């Protein structure tokens, strides 16, 4: 199977497996796991923040961040296809008691003007806004990127208005590679950042939440409350350290593969996408004009050994990663061409 469903499917490298087997461990709930402590120290350094917290999932990292920056009854602003809104089982409401104010964007990238128009004052008539979350890169819009100046502006203006800013940086290393800005520079003005070790960076499990020492200390308690106190998690952190140090170096390969796939897909009648917009490892394309539903198309591809995922409605998603070679991309594209050649697209 050529698995283009997500970069979450990556398998740990040999080096990660060796490091896991020989990791020094202790009870992390007592703060005594040396490998987790090393990972947290290094993650804070790399992101340019005071402290970091190792969490099992990106969802838990985002959930803790929302709780840190809000009170029940607040509003949280994000774009209308954000992972925190669509894919985290309403944790903003369930754990933090907050309402999401979703900004329609078309590409996942909010401007300050759009955000500002959604801010609610706490004047007795409205639920006050407490937090802005931005997703960088943006998953469901095809790995799209904020301009650095735009992130800075959002942070500066939000802070002037008394709001906090959290970056859902599940793929912030992809953003860094594509933009040429260090992750620390991207994160510089944000209050907290969550990033995943388990996606393009290839670790089997784990994400990091970074921020001030005070926020992260409080986050540690919230992680326990959510059931995320993982004890001898140095086994996992050992793989995470390799993910953090070594794996960003190869992300440009995933980006080149995604661009290559996008250019190929754009030539197939019935598929709609702009390959120019593909800058990281996610390709989102519209299949409406093939006459197939996503379920039909994905089943036909699966029967020929290629897996893709949905980006909602008639939009499909192909994600490149560590375990997909250029050869795999060539095969996947060929399969797509074959499947769609016999499906008589509506428009040709
Ligand atoms: N994304 C997954 C699915 O949940 C959609 C994927 O296959 O891409 N933020 C962003 C931007 C994400 O893309 C994801 C996972 C998360 C947070 C959550 O991470 P996990 O899966 O570790 O909870």
């Amino acid at each position: 199977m050529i698995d283009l469903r997500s970069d979450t499917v990556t398998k740990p490298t040999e080096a990660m497996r060796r490091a896991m087997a020989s990791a020094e461990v202790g009870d992390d709930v007592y703060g005594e796991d040396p490998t987790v402590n090393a990972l947290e120290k290094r993650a804070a350094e790399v992101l340019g923040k005071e402290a970091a917290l190792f969490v099992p999932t990106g969802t838990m990292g985002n959930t803790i961040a929302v709780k840190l920056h809000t009170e029940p009854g607040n509003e949280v602003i994000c774009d209308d296809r954000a992972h925190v809104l669509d894919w985290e089982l309403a944790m903003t409401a369930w754990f933090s008691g907050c309402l999401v104010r979703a900004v329609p964007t078309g590409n996942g990238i909010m401007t300050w003007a759009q955000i500002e128009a959604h801010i609610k004052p706490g004047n007795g008539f409205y639920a006050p806004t407490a937090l802005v979350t931005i997703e960088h890169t943006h998953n469901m819009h095809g790995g799209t990127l904020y301009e650095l100046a735009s992130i800075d502006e959002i942070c500066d203006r939000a802070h002037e208005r008394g709001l906090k800013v959290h970056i859902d940086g599940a793929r912030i290393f992809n953003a860094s590679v594509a933009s040429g800005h260090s992750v620390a520079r991207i994160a510089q003005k944000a209050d907290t950042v969550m990033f995943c070790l388990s996606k393009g960076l290839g670790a089997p499990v784990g994400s990091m939440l970074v921020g001030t020492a005070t926020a992260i200390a409080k986050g540690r308690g919230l992680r326990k409350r959510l059931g995320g106190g993982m004890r001898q998690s140095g086994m996992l952190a050992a793989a995470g350290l390799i993910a953090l140090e070594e794996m960003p170096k190869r992300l440009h390969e995933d980006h080149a593969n995604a661009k290559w796939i996008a250019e190929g897909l754009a030539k197939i009648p019935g598929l709609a996408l702009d390959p120019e917009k593909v800058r990281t490892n996610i390709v989102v394309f519209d299949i409406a004009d093939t006459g197939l539903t996503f379920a039909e198309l994905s089943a036909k591809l699966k029967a020929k050994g290629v897996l893709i995922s949905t980006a909602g409605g008639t939009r499909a998603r192909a994600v490149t990663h560590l375990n997909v070679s250029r050869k795999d991309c060539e095969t996947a594209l060929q399969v797509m061409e074959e499947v769609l050649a016999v499906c008589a697209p509506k428009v040709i």
Side-chain angles (χ1 to χ4, degrees):
M1 280 291 175
I2 297 169
D3 196 343
L4 297 169
R5 285 174 301 170
S6 181
D7 47 11
T8 59
V9 304
T10 46
K11 308 241 167 70
T13 62
E14 280 310 314
M16 286 180 190
R17 288 170 194 265
R18 278 197 301 277
M20 291 171 81
S22 60
E24 252 191 87
V25 295
D27 189 329
D28 179 53
V29 177
Y30 291 104
E32 291 173 2
D33 189 304
T35 314
V36 172
N37 292 343
L39 174 63
E40 290 180 343
K41 184 164 177 285
R42 189 67 190 125
E45 277 167 13
V46 172
L47 272 286
K49 297 291 183 198
E50 286 174 11
L53 182 69
F54 185 42
V55 287
T57 63
T59 299
M60 191 184 285
N62 282 339
T63 298
I64 292 171
V66 172
K67 184 73 181 164
L68 282 174
H69 300 310
T70 61
E71 298 291 336
N74 284 159
E75 286 196 2
V76 174
I77 294 177
C78 63
D79 76 273
D80 68 347
R81 296 297 316 278
H83 198 277
V84 286
L85 172 62
D86 279 353
W87 297 88
E88 298 187 6
L89 294 95
M91 280 301 272
T92 303
W94 192 77
F95 191 62
S96 298
C98 291
L99 190 72
V100 168
R101 187 61 58 183
V103 177
T105 61
N107 62 359
I109 307 303
M110 297 183 289
T111 62
W112 171 253
Q114 289 170 326
I115 292 169
E116 193 173 31
H118 288 78
I119 295 174
K120 294 284 166 55
N123 63 3
F125 290 98
Y126 301 106
T129 307
L131 173 67
V132 178
T133 75
I134 69 177
E135 190 172 310
H136 186 51
T137 67
H138 196 284
N139 185 352
M140 288 296 143
H141 279 291
T144 46
L145 295 159
Y146 278 84
E147 293 296 333
L148 183 62
S150 180
I151 296 178
D152 284 354
E153 184 190 17
I154 290 169
C155 292
D156 286 341
R157 294 285 163 81
H159 291 152
E160 282 163 20
R161 300 286 295 260
L163 312 181
K164 301 287 188 188
V165 178
H166 171 66
I167 300 181
D168 176 349
R171 298 181 179 84
I172 198 169
F173 283 89
N174 296 87
S176 168
V177 167
S179 67
H181 300 296
S182 71
V183 288
R185 179 61 192 88
I186 295 169
Q188 190 177 315
K189 290 173 183 251
D191 296 282
T192 47
V193 179
M194 183 285 291
F195 70 92
C196 296
L197 301 162
S198 59
K199 298 194 168 63
L201 301 186
V205 175
S207 296
M208 306 301 303
L209 180 66
V210 299
T212 63
T214 312
I216 296 305
K218 197 170 164 202
R220 210 168 282 283
L222 295 170
R223 180 184 68 175
K224 187 75 170 72
R225 185 166 267 166
L226 284 163
M230 294 186 288
R231 308 297 178 183
Q232 284 72 33
S233 41
M235 305 278 292
L236 301 172
L241 271 164
I242 294 176
L244 184 60
E245 301 293 0
E246 301 302 327
M247 303 305 275
K249 295 174 197 156
R250 56 155 308 286
L251 290 177
H252 64 277
E253 293 173 31
D254 299 342
H255 297 182
N257 282 338
K259 185 74 142 183
W260 189 87
I261 289 187
E263 281 163 358
L265 290 176
K267 293 188 189 122
I268 301 179
L271 299 184
L273 73 154
D274 180 356
E276 285 301 309
K277 294 197 174 141
V278 176
R279 290 182 60 199
T280 61
N281 68 328
I282 303 178
V283 184
V284 170
F285 51 103
D286 202 306
I287 63 165
D289 290 336
T290 63
L292 298 174
T293 63
F294 173 78
E296 288 164 347
L297 175 61
S298 59
K300 284 176 193 294
L301 294 172
K302 187 177 179 183
K304 289 178 177 279
V306 174
L307 300 175
I308 58 167
S309 56
T310 176
T314 58
R315 283 152 37 102
R317 186 179 73 142
V319 185
T320 53
H321 54 77
L322 178 62
N323 302 130
V324 173
S325 64
R326 177 56 68 91
K327 183 92 198 54
D328 292 332
C329 295
E330 286 168 15
T331 310
L333 194 61
Q334 207 180 327
V335 166
M336 184 73 89
E337 280 163 2
E338 280 165 24
V339 164
L340 290 176
V342 295
C343 285
K346 276 189 220 157
V347 285
I348 32 174

